[in-house]
C-alpha cells in the first residue's frame, strides 16, 4: 500500500495542478496590486498637479499684462493660499527668475532654463518634476510649471517633498491588506478543490495499478470518493470495471460449462457410432439385415453430430462476429411457406396441422440464414414436443418500425418452473426424450440470439388452453 502512495506523492498531478494554478494566481495578484498601487499614486499625483496648476493660473491672473511683477502683491497672494511651505517662482522663457517668494536676490539666482519642469513647460505648456532636489534651497520639491505663452513667462509652484507629502502620495495600504486576505481565502478554497481532485486522481491511479496487476479492488481506500462530479465519474469507472470483471468471470464459467456440455453431447453419438462399428468389425459374418440396421444407426448418429456441430457453429458466429452478418431484404411469408412444405411429411406423420396467417408480403431486413433458423427451430421444436394431433399457429402484426410474431401450439406445454430456462444452451425439460427425438438442446438458444441480433425481443409462456406461445419482434 505504501508503494502506491509514495509513487503518487512524488508525481502527484493534484499537487502539480495546485502549485501551477497557485503560482499563476499569485503572479496575477501581485501584478494587480502593483498596478493598483501605481495607478492610485498616479491619481493622487494628478490631483496635486491640478491643485498646483490652479495656483499657477491664479498667479498668472495677478501678473497678467504687467511688465514687472509687484513682489508685495504676489507675496500677499501666495499667503492667501494658506500653505507656508508653498514656493512660487516666476521665470522668463529665457530662464531668468523674475520672482521667488523664498528668495529676493533674483539677480544672484541661477538661470532656470535647464530645470526639467521648465523645459517641459516651454515645450508642452505644462511640466512637472517629482522629488527633484532644489540647488537653490537645498531640498527636494514637487514642482508644477505652466507656460503662459502670451506673456512669455513660466509660473512654477512647488511643495517640499518631505515625509508628509510622500505619505499623501502613497497608495492606501488598506487595499493591500484587503487583497492579502482575499488571496489567503482563495488559496484555501483552491487547495480544498485541488485536494479533492488530487484524492480522486490518487484513488484512480491506485485502482489502475491494482487492476493492471490483477490485485483486489475491495479495499477501504477505494471504498468512497469525494462527493463531486469527478468523484462520481471515478466511482462509476470502478463499478463498470467491476461489472466487466464479473461478466468476464461469468463468461469464463459459461465457456467452461459450454465446453463440458459440448463434450458430453458429442460423447454419446460418438460412443454409439464406435460401438456399432466395433460390433460389425468384430463379427465379419454378421447377417445382412443386422449389419444394415447398425449402419443405419451409425448414419443417424452421424446426422445428429452434424446437426450439433452446425448449431454450435451458428451460435459461435452469433457470439463472435454478430456484425459480420449480411443483412438484406427477407420475405418471411415465403420463408415460412417453404418451411411448411419441408416439414409437411413430419406434420402428416404426427397428424398435426400448420396454420399460417402471415400476410402475403412480409419483408424485413435481416440475415436469411439466421431468420430461417428462427422459424425452422420453432417449427421443429413444436413438431417434436407438442404431441400428436396438435396444431401450430403463426400470426404477425405490423408496428411502426417492427413486426410482432406469435408462434404457438396447443400441445402439452412446459411446466412453469422450466419456462425461464428454455433459451439456455443444452437445457432440456426431458433430457431422455429430447435426445431420443434427435434434439441438440441448442435450437431455442439460436432462436433467442438470432432475434436479439435483429434488434428484437422474445419471450415464452404457456397458453391458457395448453401449449407453448412464443412472442417475438423483428425490426423492419
Amino acid at each position: 500500500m505504501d508503494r502506491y502512495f509514495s509513487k503518487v506523492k512524488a508525481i502527484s498531478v493534484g499537487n502539480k495542478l495546485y502549485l501551477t494554478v497557485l503560482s499563476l494566481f499569485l503572479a496575477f495578484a501581485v501584478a494587480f496590486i502593483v498596478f493598483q498601487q501605481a495607478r492610485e499614486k498616479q491619481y493622487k499625483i494628478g490631483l496635486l498637479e491640478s491643485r498646483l496648476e490652479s495656483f499657477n493660473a491664479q498667479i498668472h491672473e495677478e501678473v497678467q499684462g504687467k511688465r514687472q511683477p509687484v513682489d508685495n502683491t504676489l507675496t500677499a497672494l501666495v499667503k492667501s493660499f494658506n500653505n507656508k511651505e508653498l514656493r512660487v517662482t516666476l521665470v522668463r522663457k529665457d530662464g531668468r527668475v523674475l520672482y521667488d517668494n523664498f528668495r529676493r536676490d533674483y539677480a544672484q539666482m541661477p538661470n532656470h532654463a535647464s530645470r526639467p519642469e521648465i523645459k517641459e513647460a516651454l515645450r508642452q505648456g505644462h511640466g512637472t518634476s517629482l522629488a527633484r532636489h532644489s540647488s537653490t534651497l537645498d531640498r527636494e520639491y514637487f514642482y508644477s510649471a505652466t507656460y503662459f505663452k502670451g506673456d512669455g513667462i513660466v509660473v512654477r509652484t512647488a511643495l517640499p517633498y518631505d515625509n508628509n507629502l510622500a505619505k499623501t502620495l502613497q497608495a492606501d495600504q488598506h487595499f493591500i491588506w484587503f487583497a492579502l486576505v482575499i488571496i489567503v481565502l482563495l488559496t484555501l478554497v483552491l487547495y480544498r478543490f485541488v485536494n479533492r481532485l488530487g484524492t480522486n486522481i490518487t484513488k484512480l491511479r491506485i485502482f489502475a495499478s491494482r487492476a493492471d496487476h490483477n490485485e483486489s479492488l475491495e479495499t477501504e481506500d477505494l471504498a468512497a470518493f469525494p462527493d463531486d462530479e469527478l468523484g462520481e465519474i471515478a466511482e462509476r469507472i470502478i463499478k463498470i470495471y467491476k461489472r466487466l470483471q464479473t461478466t468476464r468471470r461469468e463468461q469464463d464459467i459459461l465457456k467452461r460449462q459450454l465446453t463440458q456440455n459440448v463434450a458430453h453431447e458429442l460423447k454419446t453419438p460418438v460412443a454409439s457410432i464406435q460401438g456399432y462399428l466395433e460390433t460389425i468389425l468384430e463379427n465379419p459374418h454378421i447377417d445382412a439385415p443386422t449389419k444394415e440396421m447398425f449402419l443405419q444407426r451409425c448414419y443417424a448418429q452421424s446426422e445428429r453430430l452434424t446437426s450439433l456441430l452446425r448449431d454450435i457453429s451458428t451460435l459461435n458466429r452469433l457470439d463472435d462476429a454478430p456484425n459480420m452478418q449480411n443483412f438484406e431484404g427477407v420475405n418471411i411469408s415465403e420463408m415460412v411457406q417453404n418451411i411448411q412444405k419441408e416439414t409437411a411429411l413430419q406434420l402428416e406423420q404426427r397428424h398435426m396441422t400448420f396454420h399460417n396467417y402471415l400476410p402475403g408480403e412480409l419483408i424485413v431486413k435481416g440475415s436469411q440464414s439466421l431468420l430461417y433458423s428462427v422459424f425452422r427451430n420453432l417449427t421443429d421444436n413444436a413438431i417434436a414436443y407438442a404431441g400428436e394431433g396438435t396444431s401450430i399457429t403463426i400470426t404477425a402484426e405490423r408496428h411502426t418500425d417492427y413486426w410482432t410474431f406469435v408462434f404457438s401450439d396447443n400441445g402439452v406445454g412446459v411446466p412453469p418452473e422450466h419456462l425461464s430456462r428454455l433459451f439456455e444452451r443444452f437445457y432440456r425439460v426431458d433430457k431422455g426424450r429430447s435426445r431420443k427425438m434427435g434434439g441438440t438442446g441448442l435450437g431455442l438458444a439460436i432462436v433467442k440470439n438470432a432475434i436479439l441480433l435483429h434488434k428484437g425481443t422474445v419471450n415464452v409462456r404457456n397458453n391458457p388452453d395448453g401449449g407453448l406461445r412464443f412472442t417475438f419482434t423483428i425490426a423492419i
Side-chain angles (χ1 to χ4, degrees):
M1 185 65 210
D2 292 339
R3 62 191 177 92
Y4 293 118
F5 283 110
S6 62
K7 291 180 181 179
V8 171
K9 187 176 181 180
I11 54 173
S12 171
V13 175
N15 289 338
K16 288 182 179 179
L17 178 63
Y18 174 71
L19 293 175
T20 301
V21 175
L22 182 61
S23 298
L24 292 174
F25 174 71
L26 290 178
F28 172 79
V30 170
F32 180 76
I33 291 174
V34 171
F35 169 77
Q36 182 65 23
Q37 293 283 292
R39 185 177 179 183
E40 186 176 352
K41 184 176 181 179
Q42 191 64 36
Y43 172 74
K44 291 184 176 182
I45 290 174
L47 290 178
L48 183 58
E49 286 180 353
S50 298
R51 183 183 175 192
L52 294 180
E53 285 180 17
S54 177
F55 291 161
N56 294 342
Q58 293 181 50
I59 292 171
H60 173 255
E61 289 179 1
E62 184 65 30
V63 300
Q64 187 176 12
K66 298 179 181 179
R67 294 185 178 182
Q68 186 70 25
V70 179
D71 289 4
N72 294 333
T73 303
L74 287 178
T75 300
L77 178 62
V78 171
K79 287 182 179 180
S80 68
F81 293 151
N82 295 322
N83 193 327
K84 296 180 179 179
E85 300 290 335
L86 180 66
R87 180 185 177 191
V88 178
T89 307
L90 269 65
V91 183
R92 292 173 60 90
K93 64 179 181 180
D94 59 2
R96 186 166 62 90
V97 177
L98 298 177
Y99 172 79
D100 190 294
N101 65 325
F102 276 75
R103 290 186 59 174
R104 301 297 182 181
D105 52 342
Y106 310 137
Q108 303 298 323
M109 294 179 68
N111 189 286
H112 281 42
S114 61
R115 301 296 194 265
E117 65 277 3
I118 301 296
K119 292 171 63 177
E120 185 179 354
L122 291 173
R123 186 173 62 253
Q124 299 181 1
H126 180 75
T128 59
S129 290
L130 178 63
R132 182 178 68 78
H133 185 268
S134 172
S135 58
T136 304
L137 301 179
D138 193 23
R139 64 185 302 185
E140 290 184 344
Y141 278 90
F142 179 90
Y143 294 97
S144 175
T146 305
Y147 176 49
F148 296 96
K149 190 174 182 180
D151 295 317
I153 62 172
V154 176
V155 179
R156 186 186 70 177
T157 54
L159 288 173
Y161 196 84
D162 52 14
N163 290 334
N164 292 330
L165 182 59
K167 289 181 180 179
T168 301
L169 298 179
Q170 188 177 13
D172 188 2
Q173 300 300 313
H174 290 89
F175 174 79
I176 296 179
W177 288 110
F178 174 76
L180 290 176
V181 170
I182 295 299
I183 289 173
V184 171
L185 291 176
L186 291 179
T187 301
L188 293 176
V189 172
L190 176 64
Y191 175 78
R192 178 177 173 80
F193 169 76
V194 175
N195 184 57
R196 292 164 66 92
L197 178 66
T199 300
N200 287 330
I201 294 175
T202 299
K203 288 189 176 184
L204 280 176
R205 189 164 186 169
I206 295 172
F207 156 74
S209 179
R210 287 181 175 167
D212 184 48
H213 292 86
N214 293 321
E215 297 179 9
S216 174
L217 301 177
E218 304 297 335
T219 55
E220 292 184 359
D221 49 353
L222 294 178
F225 284 81
D227 186 17
D228 54 25
E229 290 82 358
L230 184 59
E232 181 181 354
I233 293 172
E235 284 185 343
R236 290 189 177 183
I237 290 174
I238 293 180
K239 288 179 180 178
I240 291 172
Y241 178 80
K242 288 181 178 180
R243 283 201 299 268
L244 290 175
Q245 276 192 323
T246 302
T247 302
R248 190 178 295 112
R249 286 194 294 267
E250 291 175 351
Q251 288 177 343
D252 291 340
I253 293 173
L254 289 175
K255 286 181 179 179
R256 286 195 298 270
Q257 290 177 347
L258 180 61
T259 302
Q260 293 171 357
N261 289 331
V262 169
H264 180 73
E265 293 294 330
L266 291 175
K267 182 172 65 175
T268 301
V270 169
S272 298
I273 294 172
Q274 185 178 6
Y276 290 134
L277 292 177
E278 284 179 355
T279 302
I280 294 173
L281 291 174
E282 291 175 358
N283 298 276
H285 302 295
I286 193 171
D287 59 275
T290 303
K291 185 176 182 179
E292 183 180 356
M293 181 188 67
F294 285 169
L295 290 176
Q296 287 178 350
R297 291 180 178 178
C298 285
Y299 179 74
Q301 293 297 329
S302 69
E303 282 190 325
R304 183 182 173 191
L305 277 175
T306 301
S307 178
L308 180 62
L309 293 174
R310 183 177 61 249
D311 288 348
I312 292 174
S313 176
T314 301
L315 282 173
N316 286 337
R317 191 165 74 250
L318 287 170
D319 290 340
D320 299 335
N323 296 326
M324 299 296 291
Q325 302 296 326
N326 183 27
F327 275 39
E328 57 187 356
V330 179
N331 191 330
I332 301 296
S333 299
E334 182 180 341
M335 177 185 291
V336 173
Q337 289 174 3
N338 291 333
I339 292 175
Q340 188 174 358
K341 293 176 182 178
E342 293 168 2
T343 58
L345 181 59
Q346 296 169 274
L347 290 167
E348 184 180 352
Q349 289 174 346
R350 297 183 63 78
H351 309 289
M352 299 177 67
T353 55
F354 194 114
H355 302 291
N356 179 5
Y357 296 117
L358 297 182
E361 287 290 328
L362 197 165
I363 299 177
V364 300
K365 189 174 183 180
S367 167
Q368 176 80 27
S369 60
L370 291 179
L371 290 175
Y372 177 85
S373 296
V374 169
F375 291 95
R376 182 58 191 259
N377 276 306
L378 290 174
T379 303
D380 290 343
N381 193 72
I383 293 173
Y385 305 113
E388 293 190 8
T390 58
S391 63
I392 300 171
T393 303
I394 180 170
T395 61
E397 181 182 357
R398 178 164 183 166
H399 301 273
T400 304
D401 52 0
Y402 65 92
W403 281 92
T404 298
F405 295 87
V406 177
F407 191 102
S408 66
D409 63 70
N410 59 352
V412 295
V414 171
E417 65 270 18
H418 295 285
L419 287 174
S420 62
R421 302 189 62 187
L422 283 183
F423 295 109
E424 293 183 13
R425 300 177 185 188
F426 296 110
Y427 184 78
R428 293 182 173 90
V429 177
D430 186 342
K431 296 182 179 180
R433 185 186 177 204
S434 179
R435 288 197 178 93
K436 184 178 179 181
M437 300 297 294
T440 64
L442 296 174
L444 292 182
I446 292 174
V447 169
K448 179 180 178 180
N449 283 272
I451 290 173
L452 292 177
L453 181 63
H454 287 80
K455 300 178 181 178
T457 59
V458 60
N459 61 77
V460 59
R461 61 183 176 87
N462 282 316
N463 284 317
D465 299 330
L468 279 180
R469 179 186 183 92
F470 292 89
T471 303
F472 56 95
T473 62
I474 296 177
I476 297 177

